[in-house]
Amino acid sequence: MAAKQITKDMLVTDVLKVDDDIASILIQNGMGCIFCPASQMESVEAACFVHGIDPQDIVDQVNEYLQDKYEAEA
């Protein structure tokens, strides 16, 4: 089975359900409001836009983290 991957179209709340440690990646990139009620209905792309962050950078960082974790567990 391949590592899970996220996309910029996924809701922030769904991304956080993939792995608990994704929250720290988002927070380190300036997305400190990921637990506010409004973020639960925002896509990663929309949340990044609000914070002036390139959504592809976030997607790449999270997917790299997930791939590394998957490989370490395999």
Side-chain angles (χ1 to χ4, degrees), residues 24-65:
S24 64
I25 295 170
L26 300 179
I27 291 168
Q28 289 172 6
N29 280 280
M31 296 174 67
C33 65
I34 58 172
F35 297 111
C36 78
S39 75
Q40 303 307 302
M41 299 306 295
E42 281 186 322
S43 68
V44 170
E45 184 173 39
C48 286
F49 177 77
V50 169
H51 294 286
I53 301 167
D54 181 349
Q56 193 59 52
D57 287 344
I58 296 296
V59 168
D60 291 345
Q61 285 181 45
V62 171
N63 286 336
E64 182 178 334
Y65 159 76

